[in-house]
Amino acid sequence: MTESAPVDPTSTEGWKKLGGIADGFTPDLRGWFDSDPGRAERYTFQAADLTVDLSKGLVDDEILGALLQVAEDTGVAERFQAMLAGEHINATEDRAVLHTALRRPKGIEPALVVDGQDVDADVHATLDKVYAFASKVRDGSWTGVTGKRIETVVNIGIGGSDLGPVMVYEALKPYVQEGLEARFVSNIDPADIYEKTADLDPETTLFIVASKTFGTLETLTNARLARQWLWERLGLTDASDDEKSDAVAKHFVAVSTALDKVAAFGIDPENAFGFWDWVGGRYSVDSAIGTSVVIAIGKENWEEFLAGFHAIDEHVRTTPLEQNVPVLMGLLNVWYSNFLGAQSHAVLPYTQYLHRFAAYLQQLTMESNGKRVRWDGSPVTTETGEVFWGEPGTNGQHAFYQLIHQGTRLIPADFITVAKPARPLKDESGDGKAVQPGQDVHALFLANFFAQTKALAFGKTADEVRAEGTTDEAIVAARTFTGNKPSTSILAPELTPSVLGQLIALYEHIVFTEGTIWGIDSFDQWGVELGKQLALQIAPAVDGDQDALASQDSSTKALIAKYLELRGA
Ligand code: F6P
């Protein structure tokens, strides 16, 4: 371990100041906006193409000042530089953390050399290999074993080897080449692979087995099922080993850091794309793990995507903390969770194409910052992590916004949208009342975006309810909104590949800021190991092995016995 002991944030002056402010804190967004006409402008920041309005947050200059002091005292900027330079800040695994290297442009000077290795050269060599392969699939020169061009790419992976590619593919659907489709199999529930392959033509299907370790139970099981499906559907079940391997060679490629295991599975190492142990799974969407997306959207769009990440990396590297958007957003999250008692954080994209964004962020944020010890093994000194969740607006409005508006819990929310819709439509007839003929539907959609953040911030007083004619005080109470519910608005020009890269990098660095303040290693994930080990131990019992069943605790034993009974085993 090369890292020095983390600074205890609770011992810093800024933290103490925040504790004092939080004591008896009574936010008043109405009053703050009334008395401060410059508030919206002062608290709106730019990071590359992202305009980020923090003014509807529960902050004032004093709070922000104290938060910035915490960032200074816990060394956020210094640790970011250490990460960029390839220091082993992933202390528990003794690894560099270099996802930012994945998007460094070709030829940038000086080259990044870490642990004696030219990282830039390695990254671009792999990218070139992925581009060359993707272009063959896209132009039809890569064919299946029967000579037909590939129409469907099925990515098999889980966690970081799935959530990123799916989210990006869904977000960039308008950029996908016609005639190509990507699908994603992740769950070991056999229903997943069954449903995703049921209607596919094996002759035009390419599987990408994406697994950093190439040892993940779910992914390898699904990969074997896919291979079995291919052989069956091509009529090769009883064919010779050579014929079977020819089919695998044309219909399977892999992405992994463990190229020896890829070869053992029967995939030609020539058709395997590598990456490195310094890329965490949940930080790997912009590595070769994105091969399915590169095939779908092509090299130019992928380069734009990477440039978007890099623009935010540069923003973080070069912008003072007080203007540094991911740092400010991370600090606000610390304020809400450590001082105001927030336990969860909603992410509400007002663009349907980002419908998997919250799911993606769940791994990024919670696998990174759900930790109870710090990077030196000592216990954390304050609450860590936030429960991230969300759904696209306006669907969420008709589901869970009630609780955000009028519930008793504080739920900070990030509202994300774009100005230019990929699919603009007009409602030519309208309803003649709320919706006029010729109404631009995206404008109507965004009216909801603006309305929600306004309602959350300013609420509706009892007097305003009464002024509308409600006289029954019980109804007045039910119709009153307290306001002072914090939100951040993020507005981008359009959901281009670059903007998507910017959004992902924004959240990566928010996570980094919070993790550094809490003193935790945001890049390991030991908390997922126990369940994995137990699943392997329990598997024989679930398969009917009586000794294995007998050795379980009484609850688990009874549940497995019930399962076996229901299954008719
Ligand atoms: O479940 C934990 C995890 O290790 C994630 O961090 C990772 O993204 C996922 O499993 C998949 O791992 P791999 O890419 O090695 O198959």
Side-chain angles (χ1 to χ4, degrees):
M1 283 197 260
T2 57
E3 275 217 286
S4 52
V7 174
D8 175 0
T10 66
S11 69
T12 64
E13 276 314 302
W15 198 274
K16 288 178 193 148
K17 215 181 278 177
L18 289 165
I21 300 169
D23 217 11
F25 181 60
T26 42
D28 178 18
L29 280 168
R30 280 192 187 217
W32 293 346
F33 272 93
D34 284 348
S35 62
D36 179 4
R39 181 178 171 89
E41 198 186 332
R42 204 168 65 258
Y43 291 156
T44 298
F45 301 87
Q46 196 70 30
D49 292 322
L50 310 177
T51 301
V52 179
D53 178 2
L54 305 180
S55 69
K56 294 195 184 84
L58 302 186
V59 280
D60 58 19
D61 292 351
E62 195 190 7
I63 296 167
L64 257 191
L67 285 167
L68 286 163
Q69 221 175 319
V70 173
E72 295 267 6
D73 292 345
T74 51
V76 170
E78 292 74 14
R79 195 156 184 269
F80 189 71
Q81 298 297 344
M83 176 170 80
L84 292 184
E87 285 182 29
H88 286 207
I89 67 164
N90 177 351
T92 71
E93 296 179 306
D94 193 14
R95 286 178 185 168
V97 174
L98 278 173
H99 46 277
T100 49
L102 296 169
R103 50 266 194 156
R104 279 166 56 92
K106 214 173 204 165
I108 195 167
E109 295 281 355
L112 180 63
V113 177
V114 173
D115 301 334
Q117 197 60 28
D118 183 337
V119 170
D120 290 341
D122 289 352
V123 165
H124 284 280
T126 300
L127 267 178
D128 287 342
K129 192 171 167 189
V130 171
Y131 292 149
F133 176 72
S135 114
K136 282 195 250 169
V137 176
R138 287 167 66 80
D139 69 16
S141 53
W142 179 280
T143 61
V145 71
T146 59
K148 288 196 182 165
R149 69 185 288 164
I150 300 300
E151 289 170 6
T152 311
V153 175
V154 181
N155 186 82
I156 300 176
I158 196 163
S161 302
D162 167 72
L163 289 160
V166 188
M167 182 276 283
V168 173
Y169 176 75
E170 291 295 321
L172 299 181
K173 273 254 172 84
Y175 296 83
V176 172
Q177 175 172 298
E178 224 186 296
L180 273 177
E181 186 201 350
R183 295 188 186 182
F184 300 85
V185 172
S186 53
N187 203 329
I188 197 172
D189 181 340
D192 196 14
I193 193 155
Y194 175 86
E195 291 297 341
K196 302 275 175 46
T197 53
D199 62 339
L200 291 183
D201 175 354
E203 294 180 75
T204 59
T205 300
L206 173 76
F207 292 98
I208 301 180
V209 185
S211 174
K212 180 175 166 181
T213 54
F214 224 77
T216 303
L217 178 73
E218 291 87 341
T219 300
L220 291 190
T221 306
N222 276 324
R224 286 189 297 273
L225 291 176
R227 192 174 55 181
Q228 192 174 305
W229 173 90
L230 182 80
W231 287 336
E232 273 166 25
R233 293 288 193 98
L234 288 175
L236 295 177
T237 307
D238 299 318
S240 68
D241 286 351
D242 281 354
E243 279 178 286
K244 284 180 168 173
S245 5
D246 283 352
V248 170
K250 297 302 281 181
H251 293 270
F252 276 81
V253 298
V255 182
S256 186
T257 57
L259 298 181
D260 48 336
K261 294 187 186 163
V262 170
F265 182 85
I267 296 174
D268 184 349
E270 258 317 291
N271 301 327
F273 309 102
F275 62 117
W276 308 270
D277 68 3
W278 42 255
V279 187
R282 53 196 175 275
Y283 297 87
S284 67
V285 61
D286 47 342
S287 71
I289 283 291
T291 298
S292 53
V293 184
V294 185
I295 293 172
I297 68 172
K299 176 183 177 204
E300 284 71 29
N301 286 318
W302 188 259
E303 284 177 334
E304 229 212 274
F305 179 57
L306 297 183
F309 281 89
H310 185 64
I312 295 295
D313 297 343
E314 284 299 282
H315 168 87
V316 179
R317 191 178 68 81
T318 59
T319 310
L321 292 181
E322 58 274 17
Q323 301 284 324
N324 200 311
V325 175
V327 171
L328 291 171
M329 288 180 70
L331 289 172
L332 279 191
N333 293 353
V334 166
W335 168 236
Y336 296 137
S337 38
N338 292 122
F339 295 92
L340 302 187
Q343 299 210 337
S344 82
H345 194 113
V347 180
L348 309 167
Y350 278 66
T351 157
Q352 181 61 25
Y353 287 113
L354 285 180
H355 70 104
R356 292 293 293 164
F357 196 55
Y360 168 77
L361 288 186
Q362 286 182 332
Q363 188 198 15
L364 179 66
T365 58
M366 296 200 268
E367 198 166 81
S368 295
N369 282 345
K371 310 282 164 72
R372 48 174 286 283
V373 293
R374 299 188 292 169
W375 65 64
D376 64 351
S378 60
V380 294
T381 56
T382 185
E383 297 286 339
T384 65
E386 296 157 276
V387 178
F388 268 74
W389 57 283
E391 277 291 319
T394 55
N395 298 19
Q397 290 174 209
H398 295 273
F400 51 77
Y401 278 34
Q402 166 68 38
L403 186 146
I404 306 180
H405 281 290
Q406 286 190 316
T408 55
R409 293 174 198 281
L410 180 72
I411 303 180
D414 297 346
F415 284 73
I416 304 169
T417 198
V418 298
K420 244 170 134 187
R423 308 288 184 212
L425 285 174
K426 285 193 192 312
D427 179 354
E428 298 302 353
S429 23
D431 65 2
K433 288 177 263 167
V435 184
Q436 297 310 311
Q439 168 74 50
D440 179 300
V441 179
H442 190 258
L444 196 56
F445 180 37
L446 281 226
N448 280 276
F449 173 95
F450 298 118
Q452 289 298 326
T453 58
K454 190 171 171 149
L456 287 168
F458 306 121
K460 191 170 188 179
T461 64
D463 281 345
E464 286 167 345
V465 176
R466 289 186 199 105
E468 286 175 349
T470 305
T471 50
D472 180 334
E473 282 303 309
I475 311 289
V476 169
R479 296 180 69 174
T480 298
F481 292 67
T482 59
N484 295 315
K485 309 283 188 189
S487 70
T488 293
S489 300
I490 303 173
L491 179 62
E494 200 174 346
L495 193 58
T496 58
S498 168
V499 162
L500 183 63
Q502 293 172 37
L503 281 171
I504 300 171
L506 171 73
Y507 280 90
E508 286 177 348
H509 300 320
I510 291 171
V511 166
F512 178 87
T513 301
E514 295 182 63
T516 299
I517 290 171
W518 291 326
I520 58 185
D521 182 344
S522 303
F523 306 101
D524 62 12
Q525 58 284 317
W526 298 105
V528 296
E529 293 305 321
L530 178 60
K532 285 189 198 173
Q533 284 166 10
L534 288 179
L536 291 177
Q537 278 171 22
I538 290 174
V542 185
D543 225 13
D545 179 325
Q546 289 308 313
D547 290 342
L549 186 59
S551 69
Q552 304 302 324
D553 65 89
S554 58
S555 162
T556 309
K557 201 188 314 181
L559 285 166
I560 295 173
K562 186 73 189 171
Y563 162 78
L564 292 172
E565 180 198 321
L566 293 171
R567 191 74 205 264

Short mmCIF file of all heavy atoms in Angstrom, two decimals, residues 100-143:
data_model
loop_
_atom_site.label_atom_id
_atom_site.label_comp_id
_atom_site.label_asym_id
_atom_site.label_seq_id
_atom_site.Cartn_x
_atom_site.Cartn_y
_atom_site.Cartn_z
N THR A 100 -9.15 7.31 -16.44
CA THR A 100 -8.98 8.58 -17.18
C THR A 100 -7.99 8.40 -18.34
O THR A 100 -8.03 9.17 -19.30
CB THR A 100 -8.47 9.68 -16.24
OG1 THR A 100 -7.36 9.16 -15.50
CG2 THR A 100 -9.56 10.13 -15.27
N ALA A 101 -7.12 7.38 -18.25
CA ALA A 101 -6.17 7.15 -19.35
C ALA A 101 -6.86 6.56 -20.57
O ALA A 101 -6.35 6.66 -21.69
CB ALA A 101 -5.06 6.21 -18.89
N LEU A 102 -8.03 5.96 -20.36
CA LEU A 102 -8.73 5.33 -21.48
C LEU A 102 -9.20 6.36 -22.51
O LEU A 102 -9.51 6.01 -23.64
CB LEU A 102 -9.95 4.55 -20.97
CG LEU A 102 -9.65 3.38 -20.03
CD1 LEU A 102 -10.94 2.88 -19.39
CD2 LEU A 102 -8.97 2.25 -20.82
N ARG A 103 -9.29 7.61 -22.07
CA ARG A 103 -9.80 8.63 -22.99
C ARG A 103 -8.79 9.71 -23.29
O ARG A 103 -9.13 10.79 -23.77
CB ARG A 103 -11.12 9.19 -22.49
CG ARG A 103 -11.16 9.66 -21.07
CD ARG A 103 -11.67 8.62 -20.08
NE ARG A 103 -11.98 9.28 -18.81
CZ ARG A 103 -12.79 8.86 -17.90
NH1 ARG A 103 -13.40 7.72 -18.05
NH2 ARG A 103 -13.04 9.55 -16.81
N ARG A 104 -7.54 9.47 -22.98
CA ARG A 104 -6.52 10.46 -23.36
C ARG A 104 -6.35 10.39 -24.88
O ARG A 104 -6.19 9.31 -25.46
CB ARG A 104 -5.19 10.15 -22.67
CG ARG A 104 -5.14 10.66 -21.23
CD ARG A 104 -3.98 10.06 -20.48
NE ARG A 104 -2.69 10.26 -21.10
CZ ARG A 104 -1.87 11.28 -20.84
NH1 ARG A 104 -2.22 12.21 -19.97
NH2 ARG A 104 -0.69 11.35 -21.43
N PRO A 105 -6.41 11.57 -25.54
CA PRO A 105 -6.29 11.52 -27.00
C PRO A 105 -4.94 10.98 -27.45
O PRO A 105 -3.96 11.09 -26.73
CB PRO A 105 -6.45 12.99 -27.41
CG PRO A 105 -6.86 13.74 -26.20
CD PRO A 105 -6.56 12.91 -25.00
N LYS A 106 -4.94 10.43 -28.65
CA LYS A 106 -3.69 9.89 -29.23
C LYS A 106 -2.65 11.00 -29.32
O LYS A 106 -3.00 12.14 -29.67
CB LYS A 106 -4.01 9.39 -30.65
CG LYS A 106 -3.22 8.19 -31.05
CD LYS A 106 -3.69 7.64 -32.39
CE LYS A 106 -3.34 6.18 -32.49
NZ LYS A 106 -4.02 5.49 -33.55
N GLY A 107 -1.42 10.68 -28.99
CA GLY A 107 -0.34 11.64 -29.22
C GLY A 107 -0.20 12.72 -28.16
O GLY A 107 0.61 13.63 -28.32
N ILE A 108 -0.96 12.65 -27.11
CA ILE A 108 -0.87 13.68 -26.06
C ILE A 108 0.53 13.61 -25.42
O ILE A 108 1.08 12.54 -25.23
CB ILE A 108 -2.01 13.47 -25.03
CG1 ILE A 108 -2.23 14.68 -24.14
CG2 ILE A 108 -1.79 12.25 -24.20
CD1 ILE A 108 -3.54 14.61 -23.34
N GLU A 109 1.11 14.79 -25.16
CA GLU A 109 2.47 14.87 -24.62
C GLU A 109 2.45 15.44 -23.20
O GLU A 109 1.69 16.38 -22.97
CB GLU A 109 3.33 15.79 -25.49
CG GLU A 109 3.57 15.29 -26.89
CD GLU A 109 4.66 14.22 -26.97
OE1 GLU A 109 5.30 13.94 -25.93
OE2 GLU A 109 4.84 13.67 -28.05
N PRO A 110 3.28 14.98 -22.29
CA PRO A 110 4.10 13.79 -22.42
C PRO A 110 3.25 12.53 -22.27
O PRO A 110 2.19 12.58 -21.65
CB PRO A 110 5.07 13.93 -21.23
CG PRO A 110 4.32 14.72 -20.21
CD PRO A 110 3.38 15.62 -20.96
N ALA A 111 3.73 11.43 -22.84
CA ALA A 111 2.98 10.17 -22.75
C ALA A 111 2.91 9.74 -21.28
O ALA A 111 3.77 10.08 -20.47
CB ALA A 111 3.70 9.11 -23.57
N LEU A 112 1.84 9.03 -20.96
CA LEU A 112 1.65 8.57 -19.58
C LEU A 112 2.35 7.22 -19.40
O LEU A 112 1.97 6.22 -20.03
CB LEU A 112 0.15 8.44 -19.30
CG LEU A 112 -0.24 7.97 -17.90
CD1 LEU A 112 0.20 8.97 -16.84
CD2 LEU A 112 -1.76 7.76 -17.82
N VAL A 113 3.38 7.24 -18.57
CA VAL A 113 4.10 5.98 -18.30
C VAL A 113 3.87 5.62 -16.83
O VAL A 113 4.14 6.43 -15.95
CB VAL A 113 5.61 6.14 -18.60
CG1 VAL A 113 6.36 4.85 -18.25
CG2 VAL A 113 5.82 6.50 -20.07
N VAL A 114 3.31 4.45 -16.61
CA VAL A 114 2.99 4.04 -15.23
C VAL A 114 3.58 2.65 -15.00
O VAL A 114 3.39 1.75 -15.83
CB VAL A 114 1.46 4.02 -15.00
CG1 VAL A 114 1.13 3.43 -13.64
CG2 VAL A 114 0.90 5.43 -15.11
N ASP A 115 4.24 2.49 -13.88
CA ASP A 115 4.88 1.21 -13.54
C ASP A 115 5.72 0.70 -14.72
O ASP A 115 5.68 -0.49 -15.06
CB ASP A 115 3.82 0.17 -13.13
CG ASP A 115 2.98 0.63 -11.93
OD1 ASP A 115 3.49 1.44 -11.13
OD2 ASP A 115 1.82 0.18 -11.81
N GLY A 116 6.40 1.65 -15.40
CA GLY A 116 7.29 1.30 -16.51
C GLY A 116 6.59 1.01 -17.83
O GLY A 116 7.23 0.64 -18.82
N GLN A 117 5.29 1.20 -17.87
CA GLN A 117 4.52 0.83 -19.07
C GLN A 117 3.96 2.09 -19.74
O GLN A 117 3.42 2.96 -19.04
CB GLN A 117 3.37 -0.07 -18.60
CG GLN A 117 2.69 -0.88 -19.66
CD GLN A 117 3.62 -1.84 -20.40
OE1 GLN A 117 4.62 -2.30 -19.85
NE2 GLN A 117 3.30 -2.10 -21.65
N ASP A 118 4.10 2.18 -21.07
CA ASP A 118 3.53 3.33 -21.80
C ASP A 118 2.02 3.09 -21.93
O ASP A 118 1.56 2.39 -22.83
CB ASP A 118 4.20 3.46 -23.16
CG ASP A 118 3.70 4.69 -23.93
OD1 ASP A 118 2.58 5.17 -23.64
OD2 ASP A 118 4.44 5.17 -24.81
N VAL A 119 1.27 3.67 -21.02
CA VAL A 119 -0.17 3.42 -20.96
C VAL A 119 -0.88 3.94 -22.20
O VAL A 119 -1.77 3.29 -22.75
CB VAL A 119 -0.74 4.07 -19.67
CG1 VAL A 119 -2.25 4.05 -19.67
CG2 VAL A 119 -0.20 3.37 -18.44
N ASP A 120 -0.47 5.12 -22.67
CA ASP A 120 -1.13 5.69 -23.87
C ASP A 120 -0.98 4.75 -25.07
O ASP A 120 -1.93 4.52 -25.83
CB ASP A 120 -0.51 7.04 -24.24
CG ASP A 120 -0.88 8.12 -23.22
OD1 ASP A 120 -1.87 7.91 -22.48
OD2 ASP A 120 -0.19 9.14 -23.16
N ALA A 121 0.24 4.21 -25.22
CA ALA A 121 0.48 3.32 -26.37
C ALA A 121 -0.40 2.08 -26.24
O ALA A 121 -1.03 1.64 -27.22
CB ALA A 121 1.95 2.93 -26.42
N ASP A 122 -0.49 1.53 -25.03
CA ASP A 122 -1.30 0.31 -24.82
C ASP A 122 -2.78 0.60 -25.13
O ASP A 122 -3.45 -0.19 -25.80
CB ASP A 122 -1.20 -0.15 -23.36
CG ASP A 122 0.18 -0.74 -23.05
OD1 ASP A 122 0.96 -0.92 -24.00
OD2 ASP A 122 0.44 -0.99 -21.86
N VAL A 123 -3.26 1.73 -24.61
CA VAL A 123 -4.68 2.06 -24.79
C VAL A 123 -5.00 2.21 -26.28
O VAL A 123 -5.98 1.65 -26.79
CB VAL A 123 -5.03 3.37 -24.04
CG1 VAL A 123 -6.36 3.93 -24.49
CG2 VAL A 123 -5.03 3.11 -22.53
N HIS A 124 -4.14 2.93 -26.99
CA HIS A 124 -4.46 3.18 -28.40
C HIS A 124 -4.25 1.95 -29.29
O HIS A 124 -4.95 1.79 -30.29
CB HIS A 124 -3.73 4.44 -28.90
CG HIS A 124 -4.41 5.67 -28.37
ND1 HIS A 124 -5.56 6.18 -28.94
CD2 HIS A 124 -4.18 6.41 -27.27
CE1 HIS A 124 -5.98 7.20 -28.22
NE2 HIS A 124 -5.16 7.38 -27.20
N ALA A 125 -3.32 1.10 -28.89
CA ALA A 125 -3.15 -0.15 -29.66
C ALA A 125 -4.44 -0.97 -29.55
O ALA A 125 -4.95 -1.52 -30.55
CB ALA A 125 -1.96 -0.93 -29.15
N THR A 126 -4.99 -1.05 -28.35
CA THR A 126 -6.23 -1.83 -28.18
C THR A 126 -7.39 -1.16 -28.90
O THR A 126 -8.19 -1.83 -29.57
CB THR A 126 -6.55 -1.99 -26.67
OG1 THR A 126 -5.47 -2.65 -26.07
CG2 THR A 126 -7.82 -2.78 -26.47
N LEU A 127 -7.46 0.16 -28.75
CA LEU A 127 -8.55 0.87 -29.44
C LEU A 127 -8.50 0.60 -30.95
O LEU A 127 -9.52 0.31 -31.58
CB LEU A 127 -8.41 2.38 -29.22
CG LEU A 127 -9.18 2.99 -28.05
CD1 LEU A 127 -8.87 4.48 -27.96
CD2 LEU A 127 -10.68 2.78 -28.19
N ASP A 128 -7.29 0.67 -31.51
CA ASP A 128 -7.15 0.45 -32.96
C ASP A 128 -7.61 -0.96 -33.34
O ASP A 128 -8.25 -1.16 -34.37
CB ASP A 128 -5.70 0.68 -33.41
CG ASP A 128 -5.36 2.18 -33.40
OD1 ASP A 128 -6.31 3.00 -33.38
OD2 ASP A 128 -4.16 2.52 -33.38
N LYS A 129 -7.31 -1.91 -32.45
CA LYS A 129 -7.72 -3.29 -32.73
C LYS A 129 -9.25 -3.41 -32.69
O LYS A 129 -9.87 -4.06 -33.55
CB LYS A 129 -7.07 -4.21 -31.68
CG LYS A 129 -7.15 -5.67 -32.00
CD LYS A 129 -6.31 -6.51 -31.03
CE LYS A 129 -6.67 -7.97 -31.18
NZ LYS A 129 -6.10 -8.84 -30.18
N VAL A 130 -9.85 -2.75 -31.69
CA VAL A 130 -11.32 -2.78 -31.59
C VAL A 130 -11.93 -2.09 -32.82
O VAL A 130 -12.89 -2.60 -33.43
CB VAL A 130 -11.80 -2.08 -30.29
CG1 VAL A 130 -13.31 -1.91 -30.28
CG2 VAL A 130 -11.35 -2.86 -29.06
N TYR A 131 -11.38 -0.94 -33.19
CA TYR A 131 -11.93 -0.21 -34.36
C TYR A 131 -11.84 -1.07 -35.62
O TYR A 131 -12.77 -1.10 -36.43
CB TYR A 131 -11.16 1.10 -34.60
CG TYR A 131 -11.34 2.16 -33.54
CD1 TYR A 131 -10.31 3.07 -33.25
CD2 TYR A 131 -12.54 2.29 -32.83
CE1 TYR A 131 -10.46 4.05 -32.28
CE2 TYR A 131 -12.70 3.28 -31.86
CZ TYR A 131 -11.66 4.15 -31.59
OH TYR A 131 -11.81 5.13 -30.64
N ALA A 132 -10.69 -1.73 -35.80
CA ALA A 132 -10.50 -2.53 -37.02
C ALA A 132 -11.54 -3.65 -37.06
O ALA A 132 -12.17 -3.91 -38.10
CB ALA A 132 -9.08 -3.11 -37.04
N PHE A 133 -11.74 -4.29 -35.92
CA PHE A 133 -12.72 -5.38 -35.87
C PHE A 133 -14.13 -4.84 -36.10
O PHE A 133 -14.90 -5.37 -36.91
CB PHE A 133 -12.63 -6.10 -34.52
CG PHE A 133 -13.67 -7.16 -34.35
CD1 PHE A 133 -13.57 -8.35 -35.07
CD2 PHE A 133 -14.77 -6.97 -33.52
CE1 PHE A 133 -14.55 -9.34 -34.95
CE2 PHE A 133 -15.74 -7.94 -33.39
CZ PHE A 133 -15.64 -9.13 -34.11
N ALA A 134 -14.45 -3.75 -35.39
CA ALA A 134 -15.81 -3.18 -35.51
C ALA A 134 -16.08 -2.80 -36.96
O ALA A 134 -17.18 -3.00 -37.47
CB ALA A 134 -15.94 -1.96 -34.60
N SER A 135 -15.08 -2.25 -37.61
CA SER A 135 -15.35 -1.80 -38.98
C SER A 135 -15.60 -2.99 -39.91
O SER A 135 -16.44 -2.92 -40.82
CB SER A 135 -14.24 -0.85 -39.43
OG SER A 135 -13.51 -1.39 -40.46
N LYS A 136 -14.95 -4.12 -39.64
CA LYS A 136 -15.22 -5.32 -40.46
C LYS A 136 -16.65 -5.83 -40.23
O LYS A 136 -17.32 -6.26 -41.16
CB LYS A 136 -14.23 -6.44 -40.11
CG LYS A 136 -12.87 -6.24 -40.75
CD LYS A 136 -12.05 -7.51 -40.68
CE LYS A 136 -10.91 -7.33 -39.70
NZ LYS A 136 -10.20 -8.52 -39.35
N VAL A 137 -17.10 -5.76 -38.99
CA VAL A 137 -18.48 -6.21 -38.73
C VAL A 137 -19.45 -5.23 -39.39
O VAL A 137 -20.44 -5.61 -40.02
CB VAL A 137 -18.76 -6.30 -37.21
CG1 VAL A 137 -20.22 -6.67 -36.95
CG2 VAL A 137 -17.83 -7.32 -36.56
N ARG A 138 -19.15 -3.94 -39.29
CA ARG A 138 -20.07 -2.93 -39.82
C ARG A 138 -20.15 -2.97 -41.34
O ARG A 138 -21.22 -2.75 -41.92
CB ARG A 138 -19.62 -1.53 -39.36
CG ARG A 138 -19.89 -1.28 -37.89
CD ARG A 138 -19.16 -0.05 -37.38
NE ARG A 138 -19.65 1.19 -37.97
CZ ARG A 138 -20.74 1.84 -37.60
NH1 ARG A 138 -21.47 1.37 -36.62
NH2 ARG A 138 -21.09 2.98 -38.19
N ASP A 139 -19.00 -3.24 -42.01
CA ASP A 139 -19.07 -3.22 -43.48
C ASP A 139 -19.36 -4.61 -44.06
O ASP A 139 -19.40 -4.79 -45.27
CB ASP A 139 -17.80 -2.58 -44.08
CG ASP A 139 -16.54 -3.44 -43.91
OD1 ASP A 139 -16.68 -4.65 -43.60
OD2 ASP A 139 -15.43 -2.91 -44.06
N GLY A 140 -19.53 -5.59 -43.18
CA GLY A 140 -19.94 -6.91 -43.67
C GLY A 140 -18.78 -7.79 -44.08
O GLY A 140 -18.97 -8.91 -44.53
N SER A 141 -17.55 -7.30 -43.91
CA SER A 141 -16.43 -8.16 -44.31
C SER A 141 -16.14 -9.23 -43.25
O SER A 141 -15.48 -10.22 -43.53
CB SER A 141 -15.18 -7.36 -44.67
OG SER A 141 -14.84 -6.49 -43.64
N TRP A 142 -16.61 -9.03 -42.05
CA TRP A 142 -16.57 -10.11 -41.05
C TRP A 142 -17.89 -10.85 -41.17
O TRP A 142 -18.96 -10.25 -41.02
CB TRP A 142 -16.43 -9.55 -39.64
CG TRP A 142 -16.42 -10.66 -38.61
CD1 TRP A 142 -17.49 -11.32 -38.11
CD2 TRP A 142 -15.27 -11.24 -38.00
NE1 TRP A 142 -17.09 -12.28 -37.23
CE2 TRP A 142 -15.73 -12.26 -37.13
CE3 TRP A 142 -13.89 -11.00 -38.11
CZ2 TRP A 142 -14.86 -13.04 -36.37
CZ3 TRP A 142 -13.04 -11.78 -37.34
CH2 TRP A 142 -13.52 -12.79 -36.48
N THR A 143 -17.82 -12.12 -41.48
CA THR A 143 -19.07 -12.86 -41.62
C THR A 143 -19.11 -14.02 -40.63
O THR A 143 -18.08 -14.41 -40.07
CB THR A 143 -19.20 -13.46 -43.04
OG1 THR A 143 -18.11 -14.35 -43.24
CG2 THR A 143 -19.24 -12.39 -44.10
#
